[in-house]
Amino acid sequence: MSSIGHHVRKTSKRTFPLESLLMPQVPRNNYLHFQEEKQRLHLKKFLIHRMFLVAKIPANTEKRDISEYYEQVFQSIVKHHLGELVTGLLLMYPTSILHILESSSGTLLRILLDYIDREKNDDEFLIQGMKIVVVSHNIPSRLFMQWQVSVIKVPVMYLDDVTQSQSLEEVITEFLTQTHKLGAYLFKTVKVGTKGPGDNLHQAVPELLLPEQIIKYLCKCEEFLDPATFIKMYNNPIYVTLDSEVVWPAPDHF
């Protein structure tokens, strides 16, 4: 009897390989994954909009002055719009910039208003001739997890000027395609809390960078609004004629 019990106890401790394979696996995330998920949840507290801006800057401009200007603007806005962080990308070419901003509508408007005030009152303001290329409203998620700055130190060589052979629609399509590809690349490679891509994008992914000639071309296009005109249209009321206000046939006036 004892031998049988001993045999049962011995076999009950055996672990079958199939059972170990079928056991549920508990996912193990590290602290970095936890911080990234916390950041994503924090950035979803309000409706997000994405704005694409282009502008001209004087040659040999100290790029640090431009990045410091925007950092000061963001810090000032946070005092009035708590939690509405600004994410995006600022690419600084030799004589122009491409700026992508993601935040709430109120925050984006305050950024534009500050630029309008600086441009109006400072004849030597570094950023000139800004144009709003595209505004994407209520985007489902951010493309950038933080605000990043990258200086394009060396010019990227291109065989021809596409702005001379393509229509405006084709240039805009290339503009949006390339910027989204670049954003997707940075989303995968840049971790939250790091300094960003640095100034070697022209070496790491030159095929994803727009040529500066496209940025200059968009700055000159009259089809795009400058911030002052955009704000004026934004503040103007929209008058909608309701069906109940339309009478047919038109009344006769005697």
Side-chain angles (χ1 to χ4, degrees), residues 39-65:
Q39 180 77 351
R40 290 188 179 94
L41 294 175
H42 180 67
L43 296 177
K44 292 182 180 179
K45 292 184 178 180
F46 48 86
L47 294 178
I48 308 170
H49 312 277
R50 183 181 297 128
M51 181 178 291
F52 295 81
L53 304 169
V54 294
K56 297 176 292 184
I57 58 175
N60 302 321
T61 299
E62 183 63 44
K63 304 303 189 294
R64 183 183 302 176
D65 294 339

Side-chain angles (χ1 to χ4, degrees), residues 65 110 145 171 236:
D65 294 339
R110 290 182 68 92
M145 296 305 297
V171 173
N236 283 341

Side-chain angles (χ1 to χ4, degrees), residues 41-92:
L41 294 175
H42 180 67
L43 296 177
K44 292 182 180 179
K45 292 184 178 180
F46 48 86
L47 294 178
I48 308 170
H49 312 277
R50 183 181 297 128
M51 181 178 291
F52 295 81
L53 304 169
V54 294
K56 297 176 292 184
I57 58 175
N60 302 321
T61 299
E62 183 63 44
K63 304 303 189 294
R64 183 183 302 176
D65 294 339
I66 298 177
S67 60
E68 289 180 352
Y69 159 70
Y70 277 111
E71 289 173 357
Q72 293 174 1
V73 173
F74 297 159
Q75 292 175 3
S76 175
I77 292 175
V78 168
K79 298 178 182 179
H80 302 87
H81 297 255
L82 296 178
E84 299 185 11
L85 301 180
V86 179
T87 60
L89 175 66
L90 174 61
L91 291 181
M92 291 186 280

Side-chain angles (χ1 to χ4, degrees), residues 61-247:
T61 299
E62 183 63 44
K63 304 303 189 294
R64 183 183 302 176
D65 294 339
I66 298 177
S67 60
E68 289 180 352
Y69 159 70
Y70 277 111
E71 289 173 357
Q72 293 174 1
V73 173
F74 297 159
Q75 292 175 3
S76 175
I77 292 175
V78 168
K79 298 178 182 179
H80 302 87
H81 297 255
L82 296 178
E84 299 185 11
L85 301 180
V86 179
T87 60
L89 175 66
L90 174 61
L91 291 181
M92 291 186 280
Y93 291 81
T95 59
S96 62
I97 63 172
L98 164 60
H99 203 180
I100 307 172
L101 295 169
E102 298 174 332
S103 192
S104 67
S105 59
T107 296
L108 295 178
L109 289 177
R110 290 182 68 92
I111 294 173
L112 294 179
L113 288 172
D114 189 275
Y115 167 79
I116 294 172
D117 182 67
R118 295 293 185 101
E119 186 184 38
K120 180 179 179 180
N121 299 312
D122 187 357
D123 295 335
E124 299 181 355
F125 187 50
L126 295 176
I127 307 172
Q128 296 288 337
M130 179 177 290
K131 291 292 183 65
I132 301 172
V133 181
V134 178
V135 180
S136 301
H137 298 284
N138 302 339
I139 58 178
S141 61
R142 293 178 185 255
L143 189 59
F144 305 92
M145 296 305 297
Q146 57 191 15
W147 188 68
Q148 308 164 24
V149 180
S150 184
V151 177
I152 312 302
K153 293 183 178 180
V154 295
V156 183
M157 302 304 297
Y158 296 90
L159 296 178
D160 56 352
D161 186 354
V162 297
T163 61
Q164 301 296 324
S165 58
Q166 294 182 350
S167 64
L168 176 59
E169 183 178 353
E170 291 173 329
V171 173
I172 291 297
T173 300
E174 180 178 355
F175 172 85
L176 294 176
T177 300
Q178 291 297 94
T179 52
H180 278 83
K181 287 182 178 180
L182 179 60
Y185 166 80
L186 296 175
F187 183 84
K188 295 178 181 179
T189 57
V190 178
K191 298 299 181 181
V192 176
T194 60
K195 294 183 179 181
D199 299 337
N200 64 339
L201 280 178
H202 59 277
Q203 297 175 347
V205 284
E207 72 279 2
L208 298 182
L209 292 178
L210 284 166
E212 188 179 22
Q213 61 197 18
I214 289 184
I215 309 300
K216 293 181 177 180
Y217 172 78
L218 297 177
C219 290
K220 298 177 181 178
C221 286
E222 298 181 357
E223 288 82 355
F224 304 121
L225 301 179
D226 60 88
T229 305
F230 178 85
I231 294 294
K232 183 178 180 180
M233 293 182 61
Y234 182 87
N235 291 329
N236 283 341
I238 300 177
Y239 295 99
V240 179
T241 302
L242 302 177
D243 292 340
S244 59
E245 300 176 2
V246 179
V247 179

Side-chain angles (χ1 to χ4, degrees), residues 17-56:
L18 181 60
E19 292 180 356
S20 62
L21 293 176
L22 296 178
M23 292 177 63
Q25 301 296 321
V26 180
R28 298 180 179 275
N29 292 330
N30 56 33
Y31 184 70
L32 176 60
H33 293 160
F34 172 77
Q35 288 293 97
E36 290 179 343
E37 184 62 23
K38 182 179 179 181
Q39 180 77 351
R40 290 188 179 94
L41 294 175
H42 180 67
L43 296 177
K44 292 182 180 179
K45 292 184 178 180
F46 48 86
L47 294 178
I48 308 170
H49 312 277
R50 183 181 297 128
M51 181 178 291
F52 295 81
L53 304 169
V54 294
K56 297 176 292 184

